Each structure stands twice: as structure tokens, then as C-alpha cells.
Amino acid sequence: MFDRQKKGDRAVLVLPHGGSVSGNPVRRADEFAELAASAGAQVLARVAARVADPNPRYYIGTGKAEEVREAAAAVDANVILVDHILSPVQERNLEKLLDLRVVDRAGLILDIFAQRARSHEGKLEVELAQLKHLATRLVRGWTHLDSQRGGAIGNRGPGETQLETDRRLLGERVKLLTRRLEKVQTQRTQQRRARLRNTVPRVALVGYTNAGKSTLFNAITQGDVYAADQLFATLDPTVRQLEGLTCGPAVLADTVGFVRDLPHDLVAAFRATLAEARDADLLLHVSDAADDEREHLQQVVDEVLEEIGAGDVPQLRVMNKVDLTEGLPRLDRDAEGKVHRVWLSAASGQGLDLLRDALGELLAGHDRIRATVCLPLAFGRLHARLWAQGLITAERVEDDGWYLDLQTPRQVLVQLASHLGGAEAVWLREVAGPEPEPADDEYEVLPLT
């Protein structure tokens, strides 16, 4: 079997285009070269490959595979990076033919994430995604260790192969990481519940990688999140208080950047991190205003948001880097007069005041109120859902149901009233505003029916 080399920093890029490969070929090739550089590889050559009908053996054609081998030999490369997600068979066949290590787009992105993850949760998520990716690529490479035989009757015959041992050990490690990650996710959920119970609305920054999210985060919060002109400069989410808005304070979270063809294992592993976007009241979708492909990249981000369950969260488009265009900072409104796009420059600070005005306007409707609800015991599933969403601050149980103290957005309370419409013995007591809770006789009693 092929012996993988330990060093892998002299790379030849294989750049498929045509067919099912989306995006502008030139832009996509430059982006993949940036990914390779972010992983620490030295790009020595590029080989473009038109793939109208993928070859089941190599993905690229046999003649093109021979061309890649010649190009790698000419520059003394020791790794081949393919800008597409290969099947395990295709990756293994290319390695046999080229006698070099082959890494597809998914493996390259996973490697970058492994280098950049800093938090305990991030490292667990990356390792779990890598092991799931590796599980499909285990091959029989240790035939000299195939059997563990004894000399007694009943012990003859093949024992556990090395391949089976690898799979078993890998499966045990995956189970261990999953348990650890579930524990960390529980802690994260408790932290988010505390914020959900708070009267402060939640905003999350999302966008294509290198669109300037971290720079904008630092500019609007006076923070110190690492920001650089590179792909996936930051992976771990950061949360800061956002002051000075007309609607009052808000919580702003900076999340990991997205990229086209993001590995599904990585998206699944990073669900806890991306939950900051899923649980937000508003998403700031940051785009590079100077990028000709920004509309396509916005679509890529929207697809990932749908995949993690954040597709229905309201968005405000933020067109960053307006200083690199001929445009000026401005607000765009839709036909109903609602702000839906802000043009600004996070690096120069132009238009940040417009963003603050837009946030104050959009978050003004996210007023949270404190209320007490008597929920009949028959509504156990709804009771569990309210706890899961972090809306219950206290409760007591009486014969007629649960008496729940809630801190929730007003629209959630309206939905709750609609859901419980017609239920007898259900009533609600509401206190508007963040003032201290009054005595019971100061509550206004509001029937839900």
C-alpha cells in the first residue's frame, strides 16, 4: 500500500471546472490557492481540469491524471490538493497512480480548522469531524498483522485484522468525543439560556469567510478579536455587549465564516458553535461589497444557514468594504420602508453609525416582558419546550397546573396565547418593562381565550 509522507507543504493544485462545479473558475481557483496557503502549503503548480462527466476511478480523466503526475514530478511536489470532494475510492486510486499524498477540498478545510481551533469545544468539534472523515478512508495496509493466532484447538484461523482494529479504535474515539462534546454543548446551552432569559436581544454576525466579520465586530464593540486577511482567521465564537443603540443594549456574537462546499461532517460537528446564529433574534449577513461574486456567495451562506436551522432568522445585509468601491455609506429600505441593507466600511469606520441606527430600528420590536402563566398539566410538551428555550425563570406546581414566571419576547407570548386558546383555567399576568417585579395584587390579569 501507499506509504504517506509526513511532509506535505509542496503542493500541486488540481482545479476541476465545468459540469456540477459551481462558481467562477478563476475566482474559485484563487480561493482554493488561498485555502492551500492558509493550511501552510507552498503552491508550485496548478492544473485545470474540465470535468463534464466525473470519472468514477479518478474523478478527473485518465489523461489529466497523467498530466498531474508529470507536473508534480517537474516541481518535486509531495502533495496533490484537489478542489473537489473525492470519494474514498477516487482518493485512493489517485494516490496509487501518482505515488503522492492526495487531499481533497474537505480534507484541506478540516486541516485548516484543526490548526486554527483554540477553544476546548472547537478542538473537540474539529477532531470529531476529522475522525468521521477518516472513517471512510481506512484501507487494508497492514496485511502482515492480519491474524493473531494461537496454537490450541479452537484458536486457529484469522483473528482481528489491523483494519478491523483501526475501525474499532476509531469508533471508540468517536463515541468518547461525542460524549465530551455533548457535555460542553450542555454547558453552552445553559449559558445561552441565561442570555435568552435576559431582556437583551441577540445579534449574530454571519457571512462568507474573509468578508470582514471580525473587523466589523471589533469596530462596533471596541473588541480585540483576531482579524486578518486570510480564510478562517477565527473559528471560535466570541460574544460581546453592544451599547449605544436606540433600543437599548444588545448582545453581538461573532461566528465562524462559511465557504462553498463546506464538509457536511464539519457542519454537523460545529452545530453547537453555529447555534449562536440559530438562536439569534437578528443576523448581520456580512458581504464584501467589492466582490463581483457577492450574490453567489450570499447564496452559499444562506444554504449553510438553512442546513443548521437558522434559515428563518431575520437578516440585515451588511455590505462591507464600501471604501474599495465607488459607492458611499448608506441605508437601503424595501418597499415597506424597512431597512434591509447597510453599506459601510468596518476598516475605516465609515457607515458604522448607520449600522447602529439600523440595529436600533430593527431591534425595537424585540422588547421582552416578564409574565406569569398558569399552564395546565396536560400541556407537558409545551412546558418542556419553554424550558428548552430558556424562557422560564421560576415555577411552582399547583393542582390546576404549572405557574411559570417567564421572561420572553412579546411575540412569543402572543404565540403562547394563541397555542393555548380555549383552554380553561389558563390565565396570564403581565408586567411590561424591566422594572422590579411588583406584588401579586399589582398584576394585570389577561385571559388567554
Side-chain angles (χ1 to χ4, degrees):
M1 292 299 296
F2 174 70
D3 186 16
R4 293 173 178 263
Q5 302 182 39
K6 293 183 179 180
K7 59 180 182 177
D9 54 357
R10 296 173 59 81
V12 171
L13 305 186
V14 179
L15 307 169
H17 62 90
S20 61
V21 182
S22 62
N24 181 283
V26 177
R27 164 62 187 268
R28 186 178 178 112
D30 291 341
E31 179 186 278
F32 192 63
E34 288 185 50
L35 283 173
S38 297
Q42 179 185 2
V43 178
L44 302 177
R46 302 186 183 187
V47 178
R50 180 170 182 80
V51 182
D53 188 15
N55 185 328
R57 184 175 178 83
Y58 300 119
Y59 180 72
I60 59 177
T62 304
K64 185 61 66 173
E66 292 290 344
E67 182 182 337
V68 172
R69 181 165 65 175
E70 295 173 0
V75 297
D76 191 26
N78 50 39
V79 63
I80 306 298
L81 304 179
V82 182
D83 186 20
H84 198 274
I85 298 179
L86 303 177
S87 70
V89 172
Q90 290 169 341
E91 184 176 310
R92 187 160 62 249
N93 288 338
L94 278 174
E95 287 189 337
K96 289 181 180 179
L97 176 67
L98 304 176
D99 196 28
L100 291 172
R101 185 160 61 95
V102 175
V103 179
D104 67 354
R105 184 181 181 89
L108 180 61
I109 294 176
L110 287 171
D111 183 80
I112 296 172
F113 272 59
Q115 295 181 45
R116 302 281 172 79
R118 293 292 179 267
S119 69
H120 176 61
E121 180 185 16
K123 292 177 181 179
L124 289 177
E125 290 169 329
V126 171
E127 185 179 355
L128 181 60
Q130 285 182 313
L131 290 179
K132 288 183 177 179
H133 182 73
L134 178 63
T136 62
R137 282 158 169 77
L138 290 179
V139 296
R140 188 184 303 275
W142 300 81
T143 54
H144 61 289
L145 298 176
D146 263 1
S147 57
Q148 303 160 0
R149 296 172 178 152
I153 295 176
N155 287 335
R156 295 186 179 91
E160 182 179 46
T161 66
Q162 184 64 35
L163 179 60
E164 292 167 343
T165 302
D166 290 343
R167 286 174 174 165
R168 176 172 53 81
L169 294 176
L170 190 146
E172 291 174 355
R173 181 64 178 171
V174 167
K175 291 179 181 178
L176 175 63
L177 289 175
T178 301
R179 288 196 299 268
R180 290 182 178 178
L181 195 54
E182 287 175 352
K183 182 177 180 180
V184 175
Q185 289 173 355
T186 300
Q187 296 171 349
R188 280 268 187 188
T189 301
Q190 292 172 347
Q191 293 171 359
R192 283 195 300 273
R193 282 178 178 175
R195 292 202 302 271
L196 284 168
R197 287 194 297 266
N198 202 320
T199 58
V200 179
R202 306 171 312 282
V203 182
L205 286 167
V206 298
Y208 206 79
T209 183
N210 209 26
K213 297 186 305 302
S214 296
T215 302
L216 178 61
F217 183 87
N218 289 335
I220 200 170
T221 64
Q222 288 78 48
D224 55 355
V225 172
Y226 177 70
D229 185 16
Q230 59 182 199
L231 303 183
F232 302 119
T234 53
L235 297 183
D236 300 314
T238 306
V239 180
R240 295 285 187 274
Q241 187 90 345
L242 186 58
E243 304 286 353
L245 303 180
T246 56
C247 64
V251 171
L252 182 64
D254 184 21
T255 63
V256 62
F258 301 152
V259 70
R260 73 184 96 208
D261 298 333
L262 198 64
H264 291 289
D265 287 337
L266 194 60
V267 173
F270 267 74
R271 286 189 183 275
T273 301
L274 297 174
E276 296 291 350
R278 188 175 61 248
D279 295 337
D281 296 310
L282 178 68
L283 297 179
L284 296 186
H285 187 157
V286 184
S287 301
D288 185 348
D291 193 333
D292 295 335
E293 268 198 291
R294 63 173 181 263
E295 292 185 2
H296 174 69
L297 301 184
Q298 288 172 355
Q299 182 180 354
V300 171
V301 174
D302 288 336
E303 290 174 355
V304 178
L305 290 174
E306 285 285 349
E307 190 172 353
I308 65 173
D312 295 332
V313 180
Q315 291 188 19
L316 172 63
R317 302 279 187 178
V318 178
M319 311 305 295
N320 191 24
K321 306 182 184 181
V322 71
D323 53 322
L324 302 181
T325 69
E326 296 180 356
L328 295 174
R330 67 180 188 275
L331 291 178
D332 291 344
R333 298 180 179 273
D334 57 20
E336 299 176 356
K338 183 179 179 181
V339 177
H340 71 96
R341 188 183 294 112
V342 181
W343 300 75
L344 54 80
S345 171
S348 67
Q350 302 176 51
L352 291 180
D353 54 340
L354 297 177
L355 177 60
R356 289 180 174 276
D357 293 342
L359 287 174
E361 179 179 328
L362 294 175
L363 295 177
H366 288 268
D367 55 325
R368 301 174 75 89
I369 60 176
R370 290 176 291 109
T372 297
V373 172
C374 179
L375 191 65
L377 297 177
F379 289 85
R381 182 174 298 179
L382 180 58
H383 174 257
R385 190 189 311 167
L386 292 173
W387 268 114
Q389 294 178 352
L391 302 179
I392 301 176
T393 59
E395 74 171 10
R396 70 181 187 277
V397 182
E398 303 289 347
D399 293 338
D400 55 344
W402 291 287
Y403 285 74
L404 307 177
D405 292 336
L406 305 178
Q407 285 189 359
T408 173
R410 185 177 296 274
Q411 62 267 30
V412 174
L413 211 56
V414 172
Q415 294 173 3
L416 179 63
S418 174
H419 187 79
L420 297 175
E424 296 182 0
V426 178
W427 50 273
L428 172 148
R429 300 179 300 182
E430 173 188 336
V431 180
E435 293 82 8
E437 188 171 324
D440 286 348
D441 56 1
E442 296 181 33
Y443 277 106
E444 178 186 2
V445 179
L446 302 176
L448 292 181
T449 56

